[in-house]
């Protein structure tokens, strides 16, 4: 049995995943690729789609009020190339952002705080 897809207001299922939107927007914000280059890289219809992803991301990020790291620290290049390490770091940050988004949505849905508070004490058993 397949999972039902979420539908937008118009009743049409979203064409692109939120993960792809976040990925494209963050790649643009890194400043290495233009909207048209991102559209070609990710097989998007046009650079307008990439621009939409950026606008969507900025709105999404401001609604969730998350701190999303954008700078990569200086790296030790002993085994991997700098590009590979930056890509790995970017992917890890993307996963963290997605998990924070999921926690925030779950907290809204269930009306309770899920994230562990700093300084919380472990329970004694």
């Amino acid at each position: 049995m397949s999972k039902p897809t979420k539908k937008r207001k118009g009743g049409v299922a979203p064409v692109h995943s939120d993960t792809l939107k976040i990925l494209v927007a963050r790649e643009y914000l890194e400043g290495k690729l233009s909207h048209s280059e991102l559209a070609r890289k990710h097989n998007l219809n046009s650079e307008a789609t990439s621009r939409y992803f950026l606008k969507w991301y900025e709105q999404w990020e401001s609604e969730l009020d998350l701190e999303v790291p954008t700078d990569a620290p200086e790296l030790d290049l002993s085994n991997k190339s700098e590009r590979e390490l930056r890509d790995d770091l970017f992917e890890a940050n993307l996963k963290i952002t997605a998990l924070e988004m999921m926690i925030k949505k779950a907290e809204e849905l269930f009306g309770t705080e899920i994230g562990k508070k700093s300084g919380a004490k472990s329970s004694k058993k």
Side-chain angles (χ1 to χ4, degrees):
M1 184 177 210
S2 65
K3 256 173 90 173
T5 58
K6 283 198 255 180
K7 295 194 176 187
R8 296 182 286 181
K9 289 180 183 177
V12 179
V15 176
H16 302 288
S17 69
D18 290 351
T19 305
L20 177 64
K21 292 175 187 176
I22 294 168
L23 178 67
V24 170
R26 290 191 62 194
E27 282 183 7
Y28 178 78
L29 291 172
E30 279 185 349
K32 295 180 181 173
L33 299 173
S34 68
H35 285 293
S36 58
E37 292 169 330
L38 285 167
R40 272 184 256 125
K41 178 180 176 182
H42 295 284
N43 297 321
L44 303 174
N45 293 338
S46 69
E47 69 180 61
T49 306
S50 175
R51 290 180 194 280
Y52 167 76
F53 288 175
L54 178 62
K55 186 176 177 181
W56 175 89
Y57 176 76
E58 288 170 343
Q59 180 183 359
W60 168 80
E61 186 179 23
S62 67
E63 285 177 7
L64 292 181
D65 194 31
L66 299 175
E67 291 183 27
V68 180
T70 55
D71 296 335
E74 292 301 316
L75 304 170
D76 176 25
L77 304 175
S78 56
N79 292 333
K80 288 187 173 184
S81 72
E82 183 176 356
R83 178 70 182 163
E84 290 173 323
L85 290 170
R86 286 185 185 274
D87 288 346
D88 290 346
L89 179 61
F90 179 80
E91 188 175 317
N93 284 335
L94 187 61
K95 287 178 184 177
I96 290 168
T97 302
L99 291 171
E100 288 173 342
M101 180 177 144
M102 200 169 25
I103 289 170
K104 191 86 160 177
K105 290 293 183 186
E107 287 176 344
E108 290 173 9
L109 180 65
F110 297 115
T112 184
E113 290 192 30
I114 297 172
K116 184 177 178 182
K117 295 187 178 11
S118 61
K121 296 179 182 178
S122 60
S123 61
K124 296 181 181 179
K125 291 187 178 186

